[in-house]
Amino acid sequence: MTTINKSGWRPEIGERSADSVATFTGNRALMLEEPLLFEIGRIDSTGVDLPDTVIDDNRLGGLMRAAPVDLPGLSEPETVRHYTRLSRQNYAIDLGLFPLGSCTMKHNPRLNEKMARLPGFADLHPLQPVQTTQGALAVIHELAEWLKTLTGMAAVAMSPKAGAHGELCGLLAIRAAHDAAGSERSVILVPESAHGTNPATAAFCGYKVENIPATAEGRVDLAALMTRLGPDVAGVMITNPNTCGLFERDMKKISDAVHNAGGYVYCDGANFNAIVGRVRPGDLGIDAMHINLHKTFSTPHGGGGPGSGPVVLSAALAPFAPLPFVEKQGDHFVLIEEETAEDHHAETFGRMVAFHGQMGMFTRALTYILSHGADGLRQVAEDAVLNANYVLRSLDDVLVAPFGASGPCMHEALFSDDGFADGFSTIDLAKGLIDEGYHPMTVYFPLVVHGAMLMEPTETESKAALDQYIGAVRSLAERARAGDPALKAAPIFAPRRRLDETLAARKPVLNWQAPVDAMAAE
Ligand SMILES: *Cc1c(COP(=O)(O)O)cnc(C)c1O
């Protein structure tokens, strides 16, 4: 149980040297330690003045609350400071380079924000009559057309709300297609180089997941895949570009083989940033692919924030797409809300969400697309790949790049912790990066590489920003190779020191309990 000393600060949040008499406050430089609302709020305090009200219990059907809810209150300035202080303990793309591999943490242009805040979009209600939301439906429709054009696919389901939700949508469509054909297939093949959400989605859909090994150069083992195909295989899920940061060059051969064996090809398109404008997944024989608007098309994300994962579908899977659908009829937009026997939505697998999707993300993504145009989007992919290769080649003398010999990488650079001093691993370099002012890269993923460090700089970083980041990683890599004991203590300057990650994952403490007053307990 947590104890508090007389001043109210929790001593365990920071260190205090043995010969110091000062009570440790947790404050650092200009950063104040911030307790929880429950610790600083007062039941009798509030930030708003409300008139006294007389509530008639009759009107509430006898359900009037008998006792106060006991939520702690703060004054307005205390509230503002609480959240501002918390926000300063966070890291954000607006603060600095965010090298989190596979996540495409790129700059969110402010123009997107301006458009999303237009009252005609921001103040909509999803239950408004469609004749009053024609502009919003036009945005959804135009974005859908762009996504189909960029991917070369027949249809797109706009409603999935994130990448993983899109995977679910794609697999539900694949299952519906097999069901409609009366074919019972129980296995989804997932290469080792796939993103972790892929096997999770397949298992969630009730499929058996079988792994396909990766080759020594980090790509799908085509021969192993071909051998495994058969009448029990419903499809494959392939991340392309894969989580080793490499393009799956055999994609068309893989698709043809899967189709010949009666299966469908799901492609995890979260890494579309590396190929947008350069490659059309439809040309590679893909049947379903989600696009993370919150990655490739620059809508803000992180911390569980709003995502959007439209799924493009091949002609074979289009009839099974989920509802609702925005359709253009003449110069009007309509919302197809339920299946009608005579039209092409008769075979829909149903509905995934209550409404059409993430309107704010649609507006931002379309703004991004229109402000770049087709040529600009192609440049996005080229610059993202260029930046990643700059990181790869600037660090491959101090960090081991396991697939460095496989040629240029796509949008992310992958390293292992080979060559670190005994007892030093990726976690030490990652924690050291926090002291250097950076959010760590993706660590220990993909699993095929020992102590993996996956760095995705994105195209929105300048060469100067990349050089600064590379300098920080170089110095940390040298310290890890030399076995600098101080690196084991990192982070030293963060609001929290190194936590026990195993304990945090295995025994998470998810509810707050009132601390025992150490003085009173004595
Ligand atoms: C981010 C990501 C996902 C999951 O997307 P969410 O929007 O976080 O659900 C899936 N696959 C890959 C390769 C990703 O990078």
Side-chain angles (χ1 to χ4, degrees):
M1 177 94 38
T2 310
T3 58
I4 54 172
N5 61 34
K6 211 170 185 182
S7 69
W9 296 108
R10 291 165 296 167
E12 81 283 2
I13 54 181
E15 73 290 9
R16 172 163 49 136
S17 71
D19 55 359
S20 164
V21 291
T23 302
F24 181 75
T25 60
N27 300 341
R28 277 173 200 275
L30 294 176
M31 302 270 278
L32 291 176
E33 169 58 17
E34 189 61 14
L36 299 177
L37 272 181
F38 291 96
E39 293 165 317
I40 52 173
R42 298 169 302 277
I43 300 300
D44 56 357
S45 179
T46 172
V48 284
D49 286 329
L50 292 174
D52 284 341
T53 40
V54 182
I55 299 169
D56 176 0
D57 194 27
N58 284 335
R59 278 182 55 205
L60 297 174
L63 293 173
M64 196 164 96
R65 201 179 280 286
V69 222
D70 280 357
L71 285 177
L74 292 178
S75 68
E76 181 174 310
E78 287 172 323
T79 309
V80 170
R81 283 183 178 161
H82 176 70
Y83 288 106
T84 306
R85 285 175 186 165
L86 286 183
S87 74
R88 284 178 16 127
Q89 299 191 356
N90 216 337
Y91 193 80
I93 189 67
D94 291 345
L95 280 172
L97 190 149
F98 209 133
L100 202 56
S102 208
C103 294
T104 313
M105 303 300 289
K106 62 165 138 176
H107 173 66
N108 314 126
R110 292 306 183 267
L111 179 64
N112 300 357
E113 298 305 317
K114 188 173 179 190
M115 294 303 113
R117 281 165 173 71
L118 290 175
F121 296 127
D123 297 344
L124 287 179
H125 191 283
L127 291 176
Q128 255 173 261
V130 285
Q131 56 281 24
T132 68
T133 59
Q134 286 293 306
L137 297 184
V139 165
I140 300 177
H141 186 264
E142 186 167 351
L143 176 60
E145 291 302 311
W146 267 98
L147 297 179
K148 285 193 287 182
T149 305
L150 288 170
T151 56
M153 300 283 275
V156 57
M158 296 298 287
S159 62
K161 299 214 174 190
H165 202 211
E167 291 175 30
L168 181 61
C169 172
L171 278 212
L172 288 174
I174 288 174
R175 201 173 66 185
H178 283 305
D179 285 351
S183 128
E184 280 181 28
R185 290 166 179 252
S186 57
V187 176
I188 294 280
L189 303 179
V190 181
E192 271 179 343
S193 53
H195 192 259
T197 47
N198 297 184
T201 301
F204 186 76
C205 278
Y207 284 111
K208 269 204 306 254
V209 180
E210 282 185 32
N211 259 321
I212 298 295
T215 60
E217 60 152 22
R219 296 190 169 88
V220 180
D221 184 334
L222 182 62
L225 179 92
M226 302 273 228
T227 316
R228 182 54 192 87
L229 288 172
D232 59 337
V233 174
V236 298
M237 290 184 91
I238 289 185
T239 304
N240 197 15
N242 70 26
T243 57
C244 298
L246 300 174
F247 189 75
E248 295 287 357
R249 292 195 203 113
D250 290 329
M251 201 60 227
K252 185 74 174 77
K253 278 188 213 149
I254 293 173
S255 306
D256 289 345
V258 173
H259 290 154
N260 285 338
Y264 291 95
V265 179
Y266 187 90
C267 179
D268 181 332
N271 296 330
F272 195 46
N273 203 53
I275 55 171
V276 58
R278 302 274 318 199
V279 177
R280 299 192 318 161
D283 297 337
L284 302 176
I286 282 149
D287 293 296
M289 180 182 98
H290 73 265
I291 298 167
N292 295 48
L293 297 187
H294 48 291
K295 293 178 181 172
T296 309
F297 297 108
S298 81
T299 73
H301 68 125
S308 185
V311 177
V312 287
L313 297 163
S314 63
L317 287 185
F320 306 98
L323 297 168
F325 244 79
V326 175
E327 258 181 27
K328 191 169 188 189
Q329 295 182 354
D331 51 6
H332 248 75
F333 296 95
V334 295
L335 256 182
I336 311 287
E337 294 270 16
E338 50 198 55
E339 57 262 58
T340 42
E342 66 278 11
D343 74 20
H344 49 281
H345 300 289
E347 292 181 283
T348 173
F349 70 71
R351 179 183 280 268
M352 298 189 77
V353 297
F355 300 109
H356 344 312
Q358 306 278 41
M359 192 62 215
M361 297 301 123
F362 295 159
T363 317
R364 288 176 177 88
L366 183 61
T367 305
Y368 181 79
I369 288 174
L370 292 178
S371 57
H372 281 72
D375 291 345
L377 291 173
R378 164 187 275 257
Q379 186 79 44
V380 161
E382 288 171 359
D383 290 350
V385 170
L386 178 66
N387 278 1
N389 279 284
Y390 184 65
V391 170
L392 181 68
R393 296 309 168 198
S394 302
L395 288 170
D396 64 1
D397 57 332
V398 285
L399 289 174
V400 172
F403 303 121
S406 306
C409 61
M410 296 301 288
H411 58 304
E412 51 196 358
L414 178 60
F415 301 100
S416 78
D417 64 359
D418 292 342
F420 283 13
D422 265 1
F424 283 77
S425 172
T426 291
I427 189 88
D428 303 307
L429 192 148
K431 296 296 182 188
L433 210 46
I434 297 175
D435 278 343
E436 297 289 335
Y438 291 101
H439 189 288
M441 69 296 275
T442 293
V443 294
Y444 299 107
F445 179 83
L447 304 176
V448 284
V449 166
H450 189 268
M453 286 172 265
L454 191 60
M455 304 175 187
E456 181 180 5
T458 82
E459 74 284 1
T460 57
E461 297 302 333
S462 65
K463 179 165 178 296
L466 293 179
D467 284 337
Q468 196 179 20
Y469 168 75
I470 288 164
V473 179
R474 283 192 76 81
S475 113
L476 290 164
E478 277 156 10
R479 289 171 65 193
R481 296 170 79 91
D484 174 7
L487 189 56
K488 278 275 165 204
I492 293 168
F493 304 120
R496 290 292 178 277
R497 301 295 302 275
R498 203 182 283 211
L499 305 176
D500 184 333
E501 313 216 353
T502 314
L503 205 62
R506 300 246 166 95
K507 293 194 175 157
V509 179
L510 299 177
N511 65 339
W512 178 82
Q513 293 187 339
V516 176
D517 188 317
M519 294 299 174
E522 269 166 16

